[in-house]
Amino acid sequence: MKKQMKFVVAILVTAALSSAITFVITKQGAVSVSGDEKFSKLMAAYTKVKDEYYEKTDDQKLVDGAIQGMIASLDDPYSTYMDQEEAEGFNNTISSSFEGIGAQVEEKDGQILIVAPIKGSPAEKAGLKPHDHILKVNGKSTKGMSVNKAVSLIRGKKGTDVKLHLNRQGVGNVDVTITRDTIPLETVYAKLTKDKIGEIQITSFAETTSKELDKAIDDLEKKGAKGFVIDLRDNPGGIMTEAIEMSNDFIDKGKVIMQVEEKGKKQVYKAEKERKVHQPAVVLVNGGSASAAEIMAAALHQSSGIQIVGEKTFGKGTVQNAQNYNDGSSVKLTIAKWLTPDGSWIHKKGIEPQVKAALPSYAKLPYLSPKKSYELNDNGDEVKAAQKMFQALGYKAKANGEYDQAFQSIVKSFQTDNDLKADGILTGDTTTVLMTKIQDKLKNNDTQMKKAIEVLKKEMK
């Protein structure tokens, strides 16, 4: 689009939705609009601002503002206008190659929420959890903020820090400082247990995920895998076509994978090739399993009888696509809703597992930064979280949020047990060892994975 025509970009974008409008540019450079009265009103407003506003205006900002307002009027958190920087970040996320903290963020009911951290990312290491409510980013309130604006504040160059002020249900408000890094490219992680069960964790649905999954299945089958646990926990979704391709690995040819409904018209997507996996399988999900992850979970259950284990999923049942413009900006728009094979719409409802399983309560505790110091006479939610961690490790701490002499003695005992300086202050190496032991305990006591394997073994008999 020519630069001298920037001032009609908003009209041209809108006109793509209707052909009942024409533009006439006079010799004096004025623009007249004939056709639909609604578009004449829009241009009249633009002209008035351009000609009469008491300060100098910026054509591009006016155009961007018009588009942003049009998209915002849809009241849909998944439809958004992205400027050049935001569009680049979105495209990088889809290709699973970018720098930041590595967490999917969404706006829901006016709140900026963590959908799920990415495996191996700074966000996961910092202990971010699904449904964490981001109250502030580097001290700036997210109230009334668009999700794209929040993401632009959170994302940044490798090695830089971002401070998040969070609210976590059942824990309270916590501050987390995260050092940004390069986000891992891999989206599929697989291992074979001693019982010949293939555990396949899928962290997102990016451009190469279906190929990664096929390779993981082939490698596990060569090693003698007798069954599979498909771990979709904390998987925020991604590319719909990848979910369809991957679901086909577990579903017989001709069976329905999903349906897409657009303005009342339904399109049914079926398995187009012979299934790849014939061994028993189960799917593992939690509240961070969203979008494409929910497509796959529902497809495997409803069209292949595969049981779902874990917790209710996030509940995102809409489909978006992105329209890129010559200046690098983009509009991401909800174009349809997707339905499960039986025609159910899980939007804002989620998918209930057939077999429910939760992680231990300490799995929801926040990350404590080794850079912060907690000592005698301190108090608050973070002290209370630390006390619960010590409880989980077998120490007789009271979770009252008070750093009293009794808790100081417990910290000293922990330090002595781990060859640390026994000064009774929770900071530095003491905090690092505490967090590492909690993570190791959770890894060794993954009650959801244990339940999934238990269910799978019954299927394997």
Side-chain angles (χ1 to χ4, degrees):
M1 193 169 292
K2 297 180 180 179
K3 291 184 178 179
Q4 62 266 33
M5 292 292 288
K6 277 185 178 179
F7 59 91
V8 294
V9 169
I11 301 296
L12 291 174
V13 171
T14 309
L17 304 178
S18 173
S19 59
I21 181 169
T22 57
F23 302 89
V24 178
I25 303 177
T26 68
K27 292 180 180 180
Q28 291 76 26
V31 177
S32 64
V33 185
S34 63
D36 196 314
E37 183 179 346
K38 295 187 293 292
F39 301 121
S40 297
K41 180 180 177 182
L42 180 59
M43 179 50 74
Y46 167 83
T47 302
K48 184 174 181 63
V49 172
K50 184 71 178 171
D51 294 345
E52 300 181 24
Y53 187 66
Y54 79 104
E55 289 185 343
K56 186 177 180 180
T57 58
D58 182 291
D59 287 348
Q60 192 61 53
K61 286 185 177 179
L62 291 178
V63 168
D64 289 349
I67 301 172
Q68 287 171 343
M70 181 164 49
I71 301 300
S73 71
L74 300 173
D75 195 26
D76 174 16
Y78 303 110
S79 295
T80 182
Y81 171 73
M82 298 175 280
D83 61 23
Q84 291 91 332
E85 182 179 354
E86 292 168 339
E88 181 180 4
F90 173 75
N91 291 330
N92 285 340
T93 301
I94 291 298
S95 64
S96 69
S97 175
F98 59 97
E99 292 181 352
I101 69 169
Q104 177 75 17
V105 179
E106 300 282 9
E107 185 273 330
K108 187 175 184 181
D109 299 328
Q111 298 180 336
I112 304 297
L113 301 177
I114 299 292
V115 176
I118 296 172
K119 182 178 175 64
S121 69
E124 184 193 49
K125 294 173 183 175
L128 265 60
K129 305 293 182 185
H131 301 290
D132 278 353
H133 175 197
I134 302 175
L135 300 173
K136 295 180 182 179
V137 180
N138 289 331
K140 188 170 184 177
S141 173
T142 61
K143 187 176 181 179
M145 187 179 290
S146 71
V147 67
N148 281 337
K149 179 62 176 177
V151 168
S152 69
L153 293 176
I154 296 169
R155 179 173 285 150
K157 292 184 178 180
K158 177 180 178 179
T160 60
D161 289 344
V162 59
K163 185 176 181 179
L164 303 182
H165 184 58
L166 308 169
N167 179 268
R168 179 172 298 163
Q169 187 176 3
V171 176
N173 293 351
V174 292
D175 290 317
V176 180
T177 299
I178 306 175
T179 301
R180 302 176 177 102
D181 202 347
T182 301
I183 306 307
L185 293 173
E186 295 84 7
T187 58
V188 177
Y189 299 81
K191 69 176 183 178
L192 189 69
T193 71
K194 61 181 180 180
D195 295 325
K196 298 297 183 180
I197 291 173
E199 296 179 9
I200 302 177
Q201 183 181 20
I202 303 169
T203 60
S204 66
F205 290 78
E207 292 171 337
T208 61
T209 307
S210 60
K211 293 180 180 178
E212 290 182 54
L213 176 61
D214 285 347
K215 183 178 184 304
I217 292 170
D218 289 342
D219 290 344
L220 290 170
E221 286 183 336
K222 288 177 182 177
K223 295 176 182 178
K226 298 178 181 178
F228 295 97
V229 175
I230 309 303
D231 187 354
L232 298 178
R233 289 177 296 177
D234 295 336
N235 184 320
I239 303 174
M240 186 184 82
T241 52
E242 288 291 296
I244 293 172
E245 181 77 13
M246 293 157 65
S247 296
N248 198 159
D249 285 343
F250 300 86
I251 294 174
D252 291 331
K253 184 177 181 180
K255 292 285 188 71
V256 176
I257 292 176
M258 67 177 296
Q259 303 179 53
V260 173
E261 185 175 314
E262 183 178 359
K263 295 186 182 299
K265 297 181 179 179
K266 288 184 181 179
Q267 181 176 358
V268 178
Y269 291 84
K270 297 182 179 181
E272 296 182 348
K273 60 183 182 182
E274 298 299 332
R275 67 188 295 169
K276 184 180 184 68
V277 176
H278 294 278
Q279 299 93 327
V282 297
V283 178
L284 186 54
V285 299
N286 66 1
S289 306
S291 189
E294 293 173 296
I295 290 174
M296 186 172 183
L300 267 58
H301 173 61
Q302 293 184 7
S303 291
S304 210
I306 293 173
Q307 292 197 76
I308 302 174
V309 179
E311 299 169 308
K312 186 173 74 170
T313 61
F314 187 81
K316 181 179 180 292
T318 55
V319 180
Q320 289 73 39
N321 73 0
Q323 172 68 55
N324 298 318
Y325 299 111
N326 292 337
D327 65 354
S329 62
S330 179
V331 167
K332 179 164 71 78
L333 190 69
T334 297
I335 59 169
K337 58 184 182 181
W338 68 264
L339 311 175
T340 64
D342 69 2
S344 300
W345 193 35
I346 57 90
H347 195 59
K348 295 185 179 180
K349 300 175 185 177
I351 299 171
E352 292 283 359
Q354 287 73 57
V355 181
K356 295 193 175 182
L359 290 174
S361 59
Y362 57 83
K364 295 183 179 180
L365 293 175
Y367 173 82
L368 299 179
S369 172
K371 297 179 182 179
K372 296 189 69 173
S373 180
Y374 308 92
E375 53 188 289
L376 187 64
N377 297 324
D378 283 344
N379 60 74
D381 290 332
E382 292 185 340
V383 172
K384 188 175 183 178
Q387 291 168 332
K388 289 182 177 180
M389 291 180 193
F390 281 102
Q391 286 180 345
L393 295 176
Y395 292 87
K396 295 180 180 180
K398 291 184 178 179
N400 57 12
E402 300 291 333
Y403 208 118
D404 51 22
Q405 290 184 344
F407 185 55
Q408 183 188 56
S409 296
I410 288 173
V411 174
K412 286 182 178 179
S413 296
F414 176 80
Q415 290 170 327
T416 300
D417 293 342
N418 291 279
D419 298 322
L420 299 166
K421 181 181 177 180
D423 57 8
I425 300 174
L426 184 57
T427 189
D429 290 343
T430 301
T431 305
T432 299
V433 173
L434 174 63
M435 296 302 301
T436 299
K437 285 188 173 295
I438 285 292
Q439 291 169 358
D440 289 345
K441 183 177 178 66
L442 184 60
K443 188 180 297 183
N444 295 326
N445 190 32
D446 187 342
T447 49
Q448 291 178 328
M449 179 60 75
K450 288 180 179 178
K451 176 58 71 173
I453 290 175
E454 177 188 319
V455 173
L456 180 62
K457 285 183 175 179
K458 291 180 181 179
E459 298 286 334
M460 291 166 57
K461 290 181 179 179

